[in-house]
């Protein structure tokens, strides 16, 4: 801990897992040493990213890649471009990724990367030059059998394209070094939808277990990016009623539910026009926009935090408990603080932690890697079926691990335990490396 002083996000994520693993450490002390090794990334790369903006001025950003664990396969995890990115954020994401990737049962180690670059207000040309400069350094450390990055916040189809183009040019190889690629050059069907769809599949499994349903239930969704959009779409498919979406400037409430047509407008606004969610009011006569607030105080049955870390704090959780929200399923990584999680548990809410509930994205990235290795492309139906199966498996495994350790129905603790044990046993077998 002293070594990582000041890395608040990383320490928070480690503390959350550490608490859950106490029964494992008590059952066998050998796991304590493994954990000590696991919290130290195998490799951390920090680099300068210089580029020239449209005015001809020099800009300098900082790039990161944290290669956390290769116990189960090549490092795998997304790239985030956001001004809040620093080493602590990337390390927490890489740490979470370790357990998440383990839960998918695909052969993937864990990593995460990104930059403090802010793409907001930047032209396509500026984003391209930034991506090219970023990859000019990163390409030395990655490869289809070494480390396979993907997207995350502000790294979508456009950025993956620019990054791949530059990698190909430098490495002189066309290979599966990145996932989230366009369908026409190696991407997988359902990859864009996978995190959101997967999160709703996870919620559906949890609801089935609790003998309840999503159908007809009001849902709060935060965020309006990739995860939030496809969470909303799948909720609509299952007859649920999503009533909110948000961005960093506030949230929209559509009291009678966001329809497919509304969602189409939001997707076009966010993905093509790169606009702000407040502009939704120019389109809808029934919606309200609440500036600089999160949607958690709106009465609803379920919540799907799908924007960013730390977006559900203790007071939000208390409000949700008071409003009788029955389940929280995390599309984002670590959106709920530990204090918020303790309220969910005390209030007997269903709680699907990010590393289990949002594992669908990386799972389909794993399937994209498999398709690239085969040089083939599976149908939408096949990928969706595999995704749905993997999400059910993650839920079942998390529940089973909780019950093995006498932690009745504690899916959060179960997910940490199941994810950890597989990595830990692999690390032990591979020796102290
Ligand atoms: P996008 O960039 O597509 O969307 C992010 C959304 O969250 C936007 O609506 C954005 O609003 C909002 N947001 C971002 N940062 C903040 C902030 N500091 N405060 C308030 N709102 C914010 O990202 P994704 O949808 O891909 O990612 C969302 C979350 O899901 C992240 O936690 C990510 O790590 C996680 N995740 C993503 C996966 C994927 O496959 N994409 C896989 C697993 C997890 P604005 O436009 O105003 O910035």
């Amino acid at each position: 801990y002293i070594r990582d002083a000041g890395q608040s996000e990383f320490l928070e994520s480690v503390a959350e897992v550490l608490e859950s693993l106490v029964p494992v450490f008590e059952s066998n002390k050998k796991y304590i040493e493994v954990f000590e090794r696991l919290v130290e990334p195998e490799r951390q790369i920090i680099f300068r990213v210089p580029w020239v903006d449209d005015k001809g001025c020099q800009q300098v950003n900082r790039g990161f890649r944290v290669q956390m664990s290769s116990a189960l396969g090549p490092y795998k995890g997304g790239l985030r471009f956001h001004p809040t990115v620093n080493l602590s954020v990337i390390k927490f994401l890489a740490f979470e990724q370790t357990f998440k990737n383990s839960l998918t049962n695909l052969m993937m180690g864990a990593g995460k990367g990104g930059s403090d670059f802010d793409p907001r207000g930047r032209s396509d040309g500026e984003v391209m030059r930034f991506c090219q400069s970023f990859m000019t350094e990163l390409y030395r450390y990655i490869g289809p059998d070494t480390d396979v990055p993907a997207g995350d916040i502000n790294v979508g189809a456009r950025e993956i394209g620019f990054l791949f183009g530059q990698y190909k040019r430098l490495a002189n190889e066309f290979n599966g070094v990145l996932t989230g690629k366009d369908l026409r050059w190696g991407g997988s069907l359902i990859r864009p939808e996978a995190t959101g769809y997967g999160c709703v599949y996870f919620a559906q499994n949890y609801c089935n277990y609790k003998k309840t349903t999503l159908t007809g239930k009001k849902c709060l969704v935060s965020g309006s990016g990739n995860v939030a959009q496809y969470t909303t779409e799948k909720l609509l498919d299952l007859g649920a009623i999503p009533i909110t979406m948000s961005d960093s400037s506030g949230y929209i409430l559509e009291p009678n539910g966001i329809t497919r047509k509304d969602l189409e407008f939001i997707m076009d606004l966010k993905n093509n026009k790169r606009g702000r969610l407040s502009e939704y009011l120019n389109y809808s006569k029934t919606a309200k926009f609440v500036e600089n607030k999160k949607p958690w105080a709106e009465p609803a049955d379920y919540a799907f935090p799908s924007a960013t870390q730390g977006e559900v704090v203790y007071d939000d959780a208390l409000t949700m408990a008071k409003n009788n929200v029955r389940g929280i399923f995390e599309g984002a990584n670590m959106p709920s603080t530990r204090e918020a999680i303790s309220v969910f548990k005390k209030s007997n809410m269903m709680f699907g932690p990010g590393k289990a509930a949002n594992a669908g994205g990386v799972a389909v990235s794993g399937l994209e890697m498999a398709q690239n290795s085969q040089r083939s492309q599976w149908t939408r139906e096949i990928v969706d079926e595999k995704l749905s199966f993997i999400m059910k498996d993650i839920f079942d495994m998390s529940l089973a691990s909780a019950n093995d350790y006498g932690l009745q129905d504690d899916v959060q603790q179960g997910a940490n335990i199941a994810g950890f044990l597989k990595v830990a046993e692999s690390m032990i077998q591979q020796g102290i490396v």
Side-chain angles (χ1 to χ4, degrees):
Y1 279 150
I2 292 168
R3 192 186 278 157
D4 301 317
Q7 298 186 357
S8 56
E9 294 85 357
F10 177 60
L11 294 177
E12 168 93 2
S13 64
V14 171
E16 188 260 336
V17 173
L18 189 60
E19 268 172 18
S20 312
L21 294 180
V22 169
V24 176
F25 298 150
E26 282 172 353
S27 77
N28 194 332
K29 303 256 176 302
K30 73 177 178 182
Y31 292 123
I32 298 175
E33 272 189 11
V34 178
F35 192 77
E36 268 175 5
R37 237 183 324 141
L38 193 58
V39 295
E40 185 61 26
E42 288 179 18
R43 193 174 294 114
Q44 307 179 55
I45 302 144
I46 303 182
F47 50 98
R48 179 203 290 167
V49 190
W51 55 284
V52 177
D53 69 18
D54 284 348
K55 296 193 187 94
C57 297
Q58 166 195 282
Q59 299 282 339
V60 184
N61 287 98
R62 185 170 292 176
F64 300 89
R65 186 71 182 167
V66 171
Q67 298 179 331
M68 198 78 199
S69 167
S70 61
L72 301 180
Y75 308 109
K76 180 87 198 92
L79 299 171
R80 175 179 292 191
F81 294 165
H82 197 272
T84 56
V85 163
N86 56 38
L87 185 59
S88 167
V89 167
I90 298 299
K91 273 175 73 179
F92 114 67
L93 290 164
F95 184 68
E96 290 279 301
Q97 198 80 43
T98 309
F99 303 88
K100 185 187 308 193
N101 293 5
S102 165
L103 286 169
T104 65
N105 277 331
L106 300 172
M107 287 177 59
M108 294 184 291
K112 200 86 189 188
S115 172
D116 57 2
F117 172 68
D118 186 357
R120 196 183 295 179
R122 292 292 178 192
S123 68
D124 284 354
E126 289 177 316
V127 171
M128 182 180 76
R129 290 195 294 282
F130 171 79
C131 287
Q132 289 175 340
S133 179
F134 183 85
M135 184 53 86
T136 299
E137 184 60 29
L138 184 69
Y139 93 100
R140 310 165 200 282
Y141 308 103
I142 61 176
D145 296 314
T146 312
D147 183 350
V148 184
D152 190 78
I153 291 178
N154 288 329
V155 179
R158 173 181 64 169
E159 292 74 18
I160 292 291
F162 294 148
L163 291 163
F164 184 78
Q166 184 72 351
Y167 174 85
K168 191 176 52 143
R169 188 178 179 199
L170 292 164
N172 196 26
E173 275 182 21
F174 190 114
N175 60 37
V177 67
L178 294 170
T179 58
K181 300 185 289 298
D182 186 90
L183 272 181
R184 286 160 289 200
W185 41 272
S188 173
L189 284 155
I190 303 284
R191 177 60 190 93
E193 295 90 335
T195 308
Y197 279 19
C199 188
V200 179
Y201 291 148
F202 187 92
Q204 196 182 20
N205 279 291
Y206 210 149
C207 286
N208 289 344
Y209 175 70
K210 289 285 184 188
K211 303 208 171 354
T212 180
T213 174
L214 291 167
T215 312
K217 302 285 169 49
K218 285 194 174 169
C219 300
L220 306 175
V221 177
S222 68
S224 49
N226 173 271
V227 179
Q229 291 172 13
Y230 289 106
T231 295
T232 304
E233 184 168 287
K234 188 48 79 179
L235 285 172
L236 289 169
D237 288 348
L238 298 184
I241 309 169
I243 56 171
T244 64
M245 289 180 88
S246 71
D247 65 13
S248 50
S249 50
Y251 73 91
I252 53 149
L253 170 71
E254 192 63 88
N256 300 320
I258 294 168
T259 63
R260 279 181 203 281
K261 198 161 151 270
D262 301 341
L263 180 60
E264 227 172 84
F265 176 88
I266 292 168
M267 285 181 166
D268 181 53
L269 177 70
K270 292 310 259 185
N271 305 347
N272 304 327
K273 305 202 167 77
R274 299 186 189 272
R276 307 305 301 155
L277 205 51
S278 51
E279 294 167 50
Y280 181 78
L281 290 193
N282 302 333
Y283 154 87
S284 169
K285 297 282 164 283
T286 45
K288 100 178 170 183
F289 179 74
V290 184
E291 208 174 337
N292 293 329
K293 287 253 160 43
K294 296 169 289 179
W296 312 129
E298 299 293 342
D301 301 292
Y302 300 120
F304 291 80
S306 310
T308 195
Q309 67 269 12
E311 56 170 321
V312 184
V313 298
Y314 181 71
D315 286 348
D316 299 322
L318 285 180
T319 308
M320 285 198 243
K322 201 166 99 244
N323 288 346
N324 206 24
V325 169
R326 297 317 313 146
I328 287 86
F329 307 101
E330 296 185 331
N333 283 312
M334 208 170 72
S336 314
T337 60
R338 272 187 301 149
E339 294 75 20
I341 294 171
S342 71
V343 175
F344 302 152
K345 289 193 180 181
K346 275 195 201 112
S347 316
N348 273 325
M349 295 175 178
M350 291 184 260
F351 176 56
K355 59 174 81 67
N358 73 31
V362 75
V364 174
S365 276
L367 302 179
E368 183 173 329
M369 288 162 73
Q371 293 168 79
N372 290 167
S373 298
Q374 289 181 349
R375 299 202 187 280
S376 69
Q377 197 169 57
W378 304 338
T379 63
R380 197 179 162 83
E381 289 69 30
I382 287 178
V383 181
D384 198 22
E385 196 185 323
K386 285 184 192 288
L387 170 64
S388 160
F389 175 83
I390 290 171
M391 297 315 295
K392 178 171 185 333
D393 204 35
I394 293 176
F395 177 75
D396 291 345
M397 262 189 317
S398 304
L399 193 64
S401 292
N403 292 336
D404 283 350
Y405 281 86
L407 308 161
Q408 189 71 39
D409 283 8
D410 190 329
V411 171
Q412 177 231 3
Q413 231 174 319
N416 285 335
I417 292 171
F420 172 73
L421 284 176
K422 193 169 161 204
V423 177
E425 288 302 335
S426 308
M427 286 172 73
I428 291 167
Q429 285 167 6
Q430 292 169 26
I432 299 183
V433 288

